[in-house]
Coordinates of all heavy atoms in Angstrom, one line a residue:
L6 N 8.1 15.5 3.7 CA 8.5 14.4 2.9 C 8.9 13.2 3.8 O 9.7 13.4 4.7 CB 9.6 14.7 1.9 CG 10.3 13.6 1.2 CD1 9.4 13.0 0.1 CD2 11.6 14.1 0.5
S32 N -0.5 19.0 8.2 CA 0.3 19.3 7.0 C 0.0 18.4 5.9 O -0.7 17.4 6.1 CB 1.8 19.2 7.4 OG 2.1 19.9 8.5
D85 N -4.3 10.4 -0.4 CA -5.5 11.2 -0.8 C -5.3 11.7 -2.2 O -6.2 11.9 -2.9 CB -5.6 12.4 0.2 CG -5.8 12.0 1.6 OD1 -6.7 11.3 1.9 OD2 -4.9 12.3 2.5
I86 N -4.0 11.9 -2.5 CA -3.6 12.3 -3.9 C -2.6 11.3 -4.3 O -1.6 11.1 -3.5 CB -3.1 13.7 -4.0 CG1 -4.2 14.7 -3.6 CG2 -2.6 14.0 -5.4 CD1 -3.6 16.2 -3.4
T88 N 0.2 10.3 -7.3 CA 0.9 10.7 -8.5 C 1.9 9.6 -8.8 O 2.3 8.8 -8.0 CB 1.6 12.1 -8.3 OG1 2.6 11.9 -7.3 CG2 0.6 13.2 -7.9
N91 N 5.9 8.9 -15.4 CA 5.4 8.3 -16.6 C 5.7 6.9 -16.9 O 4.9 6.1 -17.4 CB 5.8 9.2 -17.8 CG 5.0 10.5 -17.8 OD1 3.9 10.6 -17.3 ND2 5.6 11.5 -18.4
G101 N 0.5 -14.2 0.5 CA 0.8 -15.6 0.7 C 1.8 -15.9 1.8 O 2.3 -14.9 2.4
K103 N 5.4 -18.0 2.9 CA 6.6 -18.7 2.5 C 7.0 -19.6 3.7 O 7.1 -19.1 4.8 CB 7.8 -17.8 2.1 CG 7.6 -17.1 0.8 CD 8.8 -16.3 0.4 CE 8.6 -15.6 -0.8 NZ 9.7 -14.7 -1.2
S110 N -2.5 -30.6 8.7 CA -3.9 -30.1 8.3 C -4.2 -29.0 9.3 O -4.9 -28.0 8.9 CB -4.9 -31.3 8.4 OG -4.9 -31.8 9.7
Q114 N -5.0 -25.2 8.2 CA -6.2 -24.5 8.6 C -6.0 -23.1 9.1 O -6.6 -22.1 8.8 CB -7.0 -25.4 9.6 CG -8.4 -25.4 9.4 CD -9.0 -26.5 10.3 OE1 -8.4 -26.9 11.4 NE2 -10.2 -26.9 10.0
E115 N -5.0 -23.1 10.0 CA -4.6 -21.8 10.6 C -4.1 -20.8 9.5 O -4.4 -19.6 9.6 CB -3.5 -22.0 11.6 CG -3.9 -22.5 13.0 CD -2.8 -22.6 14.0 OE1 -1.7 -22.9 13.6 OE2 -3.1 -22.3 15.2
L120 N -4.8 -16.1 6.0 CA -4.9 -15.6 4.7 C -6.2 -14.9 4.4 O -6.3 -13.9 3.7 CB -4.7 -16.7 3.6 CG -3.2 -17.2 3.5 CD1 -3.1 -18.4 2.7 CD2 -2.3 -16.1 2.9
E123 N -6.0 -11.5 5.9 CA -5.2 -10.6 5.1 C -5.9 -10.2 3.8 O -5.9 -9.1 3.3 CB -3.9 -11.2 4.7 CG -3.0 -11.7 5.9 CD -2.7 -10.6 6.9 OE1 -3.0 -9.4 6.7 OE2 -2.1 -10.9 7.9
D124 N -6.6 -11.2 3.2 CA -7.4 -10.9 2.0 C -8.5 -9.9 2.3 O -8.7 -8.9 1.5 CB -8.1 -12.2 1.5 CG -8.5 -12.1 0.0 OD1 -7.8 -11.5 -0.8 OD2 -9.5 -12.7 -0.3
T135 N -10.1 3.0 -4.0 CA -10.2 2.9 -5.4 C -11.7 2.8 -5.8 O -12.5 2.7 -4.9 CB -9.4 1.7 -6.0 OG1 -10.1 0.6 -5.7 CG2 -8.0 1.6 -5.5
K146 N -7.0 -10.7 -7.8 CA -6.3 -11.2 -6.6 C -5.8 -12.7 -6.8 O -5.1 -13.2 -5.9 CB -7.2 -11.2 -5.4 CG -8.3 -12.2 -5.4 CD -9.2 -12.1 -4.1 CE -10.2 -13.2 -4.0 NZ -11.0 -13.2 -2.9
K168 N -2.8 17.7 -19.0 CA -3.8 18.1 -20.0 C -3.6 17.2 -21.3 O -2.5 16.9 -21.7 CB -3.5 19.6 -20.4 CG -3.8 20.5 -19.2 CD -3.6 21.9 -19.5 CE -3.9 22.8 -18.3 NZ -3.6 24.2 -18.6
S169 N -4.8 16.9 -21.9 CA -4.7 16.1 -23.1 C -4.4 16.9 -24.3 O -4.8 18.0 -24.4 CB -6.1 15.4 -23.3 OG -6.4 14.7 -22.2

Side-chain angles (χ1 to χ4, degrees):
L6 171 67
S32 307
D85 300 302
I86 299 169
T88 63
N91 287 334
K103 288 184 181 178
S110 61
Q114 219 172 21
E115 284 184 322
L120 286 170
E123 305 301 357
D124 199 37
T135 74
K146 75 178 186 180
K168 295 181 181 178
S169 308

